[in-house]
Amino acid sequence: MTIRIRLRATSHPYRLQNRFVSSPIIDLPVRANTISCDMSDSTLLTAEAQRRRTFAVISHPDAGKSTLTEALALHARAITEAGAIHGKAGRRSTVSDWMEMEKARGISITSTALQFPYRDCVINLLDTPGHADFSEDTYRVLTAVDCAVMLIDAAKGLEPQTLKLFQVCKHRGIPIITVINKWDRPGRHALELMDEIHERIGLRTAPLTWPVGIAGDFKGVLDRRSGEFIRFTRTAGGATAAPEEHIAAADAGAAAGVDWETAVEESELLSADGSDYDRDAFLSGESSPVLFTSAALNFGVNQLLDMLVSLAPSPGGAVDVEGTRRPVESPFSAFVFKVQAGMDSSHRDRIAYARVISGTFERGDVLTHAATGKPFVTKYAQSVFGQQRSTLDDAWPGDVIGLANAAALRPGDTLYRDVPVQFPPIPSFSPEYFAVARNVDPSKHKQFRKGIEQLDQEGVVQVLRSDKRGEQAPVLAAVGPMQFEVATHRMATEIGAAISLESLPYQVARIVDPEDAEFVNRQVSAEVLTRTDGVMLVLFSTPWRLEGFQRDNPSITLRSLVAADG
Ligand SMILES: Nc1nc2c(ncn2[C@@H]2O[C@H](COP(=O)(O)OP(=O)(O)OP(=O)(O)O)[C@@H](O)[C@H]2O)c(=O)[nH]1
Ligand SMILES: [Mg+2]
């Protein structure tokens, strides 16, 4: 028999027998008249890992990822009012869109991590940018999650960027939860959307809820497991959690009339068609549970949270470079998936985001940085919530640790304790846009150099150099032109060294071996530059030039970089 106790604490973390634990609720075994406290490290570690849900929200731009992220935090009571954090200027800025440019344009440029408790679970949620130009950032996040919530705009269906991200998830074996969002707006028929998903990407859909009312007239959902009607009520501006009423199936007809009858009929059709939820099919990526929401009105958000808790996988370790799985119970290991500076203008520091793969973490632990073999002290570990940070004392598999002042860490790096491990690096995408950056104000020479180095380390752009162009004229390389806008904006506002950019007439990059570099560099419409990591890239003006070169020089091997469309 076990007894469940709740630890009393005025602040996080909670303390039990000189141990810090991150949850106040603990199950203890009871023997005879005593309570023996079985808090061995491995029991606690397994329990903490099992209650983590670490997932990314992905989709084409504008489907509502940041709005949904905010709604999830609101329903889990991690924030009190959606949109409240950034004032009343509509719902354009959310807790995850904190960057000045993001607020101004209402789009996400960089991914953001939020952590909050919900029921007995700890949710680690990563909001990603949808715009293709920032897909490298989204891709990095997908290396750090156990599950993805794929958002689909009810009026638009599957859009190009969603398709690409779906392929990345499929390739990485990440199970997908599908959310049909914006059901409060006129849109497509629900059954038609299910067909589209199945036909175009081969994913079987298993709706857990089904909308009552067509798109544009969202009354509530039919909970396909309990058979109940969950009726939603609007709140002013969707700023607070939407009240919901659970109505038994027998009374739902009276409450929602013909819309209820239609929902029931369609749900029966789905069952007849084999579209019922199956856990193995979900975890293997063959099928996807589906929910219907309006993130802006906070409809269907509770159902998504409950679903994440009950169905989404908990952390299961990760495979290292040798192909061996590091289970969660192993000594501590973590994987850096993102580096971000400029989050706090008063500090100007960089944060490396590390996802815990195995073991426990306590602030101050001395880890090993696998890339250099050097010790890494974690005195400045922080937990992140959008732009806000607080001191982090412990972390468990699935959690995201923000490591401040971690100049040595790059995306793709591994940190470990005791038993060495190295996780696979994150491949960088093939750039298609190139521009020479120049410092506008010669007196800002030092800031210019440091700023370019910082943007490079964060992966905002890739930085290429050559002896011919010199240190003063680095070439910035990007997957999409908006990355240049971000680089220019941040150099001027955050780093204080305005730059001018001159586009270069290249469209394709290939890796070239150093021994061939000189020969390749002599070709017309081609230029060889060295990336900061030492890799030599040759740039060609057009794909046809590249093809022609390869045809004329079959003995020279040029290797492709990872394409942005996965
Ligand atoms: N009517 C309606 N509007 C929504 C809903 N969800 C989001 N929106 C609106 O859609 C727009 C885009 O929402 P975001 O949450 O910024 O979209 P996003 O997917 O994060 O966009 P990117 O990060 O730029 O890819 C905003 O104007 C939102 O208010 C919804 O459920 N219903
Ligand atoms: Mg967004």
Side-chain angles (χ1 to χ4, degrees):
M1 185 180 143
T2 58
I3 181 169
R4 174 162 287 199
I5 63 160
R6 178 179 284 272
L7 301 176
R8 277 181 51 189
T10 45
S11 67
H12 186 93
Y14 306 92
R15 202 173 185 145
L16 179 71
Q17 293 187 337
N18 295 325
R19 268 204 68 92
F20 289 118
V21 290
S22 60
S23 163
I25 300 164
I26 292 170
D27 288 322
L28 299 175
V30 178
R31 280 181 222 126
N33 294 322
T34 63
I35 295 176
S36 90
C37 181
D38 179 12
M39 287 295 289
S40 66
D41 284 352
S42 66
T43 315
L44 189 61
L45 171 60
T46 311
E48 289 293 346
Q50 275 173 1
R51 67 191 197 97
R52 262 45 188 193
R53 301 290 180 272
T54 302
F55 67 96
V57 188
I58 55 166
S59 78
H60 197 81
D62 261 8
K65 295 175 294 295
S66 301
T67 311
L68 182 71
T69 298
E70 183 106 344
L72 289 165
L74 178 75
H75 280 255
R77 299 185 206 293
I79 55 175
T80 52
E81 197 171 305
I85 292 168
H86 299 292
K88 286 189 192 141
R91 298 281 306 255
R92 284 172 66 111
S93 72
T94 54
V95 66
S96 50
D97 286 345
W98 50 268
M99 222 184 228
E100 201 182 301
M101 267 181 84
E102 295 182 315
K103 286 189 225 170
R105 300 189 184 198
I107 62 164
S108 302
I109 287 171
T110 178
S111 53
T112 304
L114 304 183
Q115 186 193 58
F116 50 84
Y118 180 70
R119 304 218 156 145
D120 283 350
C121 282
V122 175
I123 308 270
N124 291 297
L125 162 52
L126 290 141
D127 179 23
T128 65
H131 200 291
D133 290 12
F134 308 121
S135 52
E136 201 163 6
D137 190 40
T138 302
Y139 184 86
R140 289 185 203 121
V141 167
L142 286 173
T143 62
V145 296
D146 302 314
C147 183
V149 170
M150 177 171 81
L151 228 60
I152 292 176
D153 183 321
K156 297 186 175 150
L158 282 174
E159 295 177 90
Q161 198 57 23
T162 313
L163 290 172
K164 287 180 186 172
L165 293 168
F166 166 76
Q167 293 302 343
V168 175
C169 291
K170 191 169 161 187
H171 179 70
R172 300 193 61 89
I174 300 171
I176 293 175
I177 295 167
T178 304
V179 170
I180 311 287
N181 189 37
K182 303 199 183 181
W183 200 256
D184 59 301
R185 287 242 199 100
R188 311 244 306 260
H189 196 286
L191 284 171
E192 188 190 308
L193 287 165
M194 298 303 101
D195 284 346
E196 181 183 10
I197 294 170
H198 191 198
E199 277 159 24
R200 290 188 63 193
I201 58 179
L203 187 65
R204 281 196 287 120
T205 51
L208 299 178
T209 63
W210 196 249
V212 177
I214 57 166
D217 181 25
F218 198 5
K219 297 195 166 74
V221 289
L222 159 63
D223 181 334
R224 294 189 67 230
R225 284 176 299 179
S226 69
E228 283 176 328
F229 171 35
I230 304 173
R231 181 156 64 184
F232 302 128
T233 309
R234 279 176 186 250
T235 59
T240 51
E244 56 182 55
E245 234 178 305
H246 289 239
I247 301 170
D251 306 322
V258 70
D259 289 328
W260 174 255
E261 309 306 333
T262 309
V264 172
E265 270 169 34
E266 289 176 352
S267 175
E268 282 166 2
L269 267 178
L270 291 169
S271 299
D273 203 28
S275 296
D276 288 335
Y277 174 71
D278 175 286
R279 185 167 168 85
D280 291 340
F282 162 47
L283 295 181
S284 68
E286 278 166 55
S287 101
S288 173
V290 180
L291 296 169
F292 289 78
T293 63
S294 163
L297 296 181
N298 291 307
F299 287 6
V301 179
N302 268 339
Q303 286 67 37
L304 177 57
L305 276 173
D306 288 342
M307 216 226 101
L308 286 163
V309 166
S310 60
L311 306 181
S314 49
V319 175
D320 67 13
V321 276
E322 260 126 47
T324 312
R325 180 164 287 276
R326 176 116 162 167
V328 287
E329 294 79 16
S330 309
F332 178 83
S333 65
F335 174 74
V336 178
F337 63 94
K338 179 182 169 66
V339 173
Q340 176 82 55
M343 290 173 73
D344 182 344
S345 54
S346 56
H347 285 99
R348 300 205 169 277
D349 56 0
R350 293 182 347 135
I351 300 268
Y353 289 66
R355 139 98 204 222
V356 182
I357 302 293
S358 64
T360 58
F361 170 83
E362 281 181 41
R363 188 162 53 90
D365 279 353
V366 179
L367 309 173
T368 304
H369 179 214
T372 57
K374 288 193 178 148
F376 182 85
V377 185
T378 58
K379 206 160 61 180
Y380 302 108
Q382 296 177 325
S383 67
V384 278
F385 186 86
Q387 189 182 11
Q388 307 157 23
R389 307 184 225 159
S390 51
T391 304
L392 174 101
D393 290 298
D394 58 10
W396 307 88
D399 286 347
V400 174
I401 306 176
L403 295 162
N405 300 327
L409 299 183
R410 306 274 178 279
D413 281 2
T414 300
L415 292 166
Y416 65 82
R417 200 176 48 213
D418 302 337
V419 180
V421 64
Q422 174 115 41
F423 296 111
I426 305 177
S428 42
F429 280 14
S430 191
E432 291 175 14
Y433 296 84
F434 305 88
V436 182
R438 289 200 178 81
N439 178 22
V440 174
D441 177 354
S443 71
K444 298 285 172 63
H445 165 70
K446 249 170 117 178
Q447 286 96 319
F448 172 76
R449 210 169 45 81
K450 273 195 87 171
I452 296 287
E453 188 186 323
Q454 176 184 313
L455 298 183
D456 188 16
Q457 288 171 354
E458 281 183 43
V460 173
V461 284
Q462 295 178 30
V463 179
L464 317 176
R465 292 185 175 85
S466 68
D467 288 344
K468 191 179 98 194
R469 290 188 180 274
E471 221 10 71
Q472 305 305 318
V475 172
L476 309 189
V479 172
M482 264 171 80
Q483 282 174 266
F484 289 151
E485 285 184 50
V486 175
T488 310
H489 180 82
R490 288 187 59 188
M491 284 295 287
T493 56
E494 192 184 307
I495 292 151
I499 56 169
S500 65
L501 288 182
E502 177 205 336
S503 307
L504 292 176
Y506 301 122
Q507 291 176 12
V508 240
R510 287 288 183 276
I511 299 173
V512 58
D513 290 331
E515 59 269 28
D516 298 326
E518 208 186 311
F519 172 74
V520 177
N521 205 18
R522 287 202 296 267
Q523 306 300 308
V524 182
S525 301
E527 179 174 350
V528 174
L529 292 137
T530 307
R531 208 165 61 182
T532 317
D533 60 2
V535 171
M536 295 186 105
L537 297 183
V538 51
L539 315 184
F540 287 94
S541 54
T542 62
W544 301 279
R545 287 270 180 200
L546 164 65
E547 262 174 46
F549 175 82
Q550 286 183 309
R551 211 174 30 243
D552 298 344
N553 301 279
S555 62
I556 293 184
T557 315
L558 300 179
R559 279 167 293 135
S560 301
L561 292 103
V562 176
D565 52 14

